[in-house]
Amino acid sequence: MRNAWSGILAIVGGLWLIVLAGLPLYVFPAVDDVAPSDVALVLGPPMEERLALAAQLRDDGVVQRIVVSVQPAGGQTADDIPLCDEASVTCAVADPYSTRGETQLVDAGESVIVITSTPHVTRARYLFDKCHAGGVAVVAAGGPETFSAWASQYAYQSAAFVKAIAQPCP
């Protein structure tokens, strides 16, 4: 019985360590100050909060162009997003269809403000620092709203971080 309790305590303790280690990465990531840049890049999926922030940055003169990463099919395509019909907005499907591919949606050397969800900020910064030659600022717009969504993001972002470290840039 004592061994069973020790095992349970070790598992619970390990889970708490993972949760605590993830807080600065996924829940309270460092976001960059916004400064005038060449382009705002909305990472997929193009959620309303991200699109609104990109439009606001353009309207405020912080960026001149917006690039939106859209899905190839099944909703959230360029045809589904009114912003894609505006001048100075480009909507494109990343190749590969991942954050790694999204680093290639803007020209090398361009300064970019990357707009993504809160739990994705740290991994997006890592990939853009690794794969994009221009200046990068990463900001958050929106994030999970439920405990289960946060738990899912912890697992997904952690696994995706391992993949980001292991794979070369496109």
Side-chain angles (χ1 to χ4, degrees):
M1 184 70 162
R2 183 174 241 175
N3 286 338
W5 280 111
S6 296
I8 291 170
L9 288 175
I11 290 170
V12 169
L15 289 174
W16 273 109
L17 282 176
I18 291 169
V19 168
L20 292 175
L23 287 175
L25 295 175
Y26 309 133
V27 181
F28 305 109
V31 292
D32 299 312
D33 293 329
V34 173
S37 298
D38 296 317
V39 62
L41 173 60
V42 177
L43 299 186
M47 307 303 287
E48 187 57 42
E49 300 93 344
R50 299 177 204 182
L51 297 168
L53 179 55
Q56 186 65 51
L57 291 171
R58 181 201 53 202
D59 295 347
D60 291 346
V62 177
V63 298
Q64 298 303 309
R65 293 187 316 115
I66 298 171
V67 175
V68 180
S69 177
V70 296
Q71 295 184 159
Q76 296 179 325
T77 66
D79 292 336
D80 299 322
I81 300 168
L83 186 66
C84 292
D85 295 328
E86 296 183 18
S88 74
V89 177
T90 302
C91 293
V93 177
D95 181 27
Y97 186 64
S98 65
T99 306
R100 192 170 57 95
E102 289 172 326
T103 66
Q104 305 304 300
L105 290 178
V106 293
D107 294 334
E110 281 189 306
S111 59
V112 60
I113 298 172
V114 176
I115 304 169
T116 191
S117 65
T118 300
H120 188 215
V121 165
T122 305
R123 184 169 62 88
R125 181 179 295 110
Y126 171 79
L127 280 164
F128 274 83
D129 286 346
K130 177 179 174 179
C131 301
H132 179 70
V136 176
V138 182
V139 297
E145 296 181 2
T146 65
F147 176 79
S148 63
W150 275 107
S152 174
Q153 281 297 306
Y154 257 73
Y156 177 83
Q157 295 298 335
S158 297
F161 237 124
V162 172
K163 179 180 169 186
I165 291 166
Q167 288 186 325
C169 295

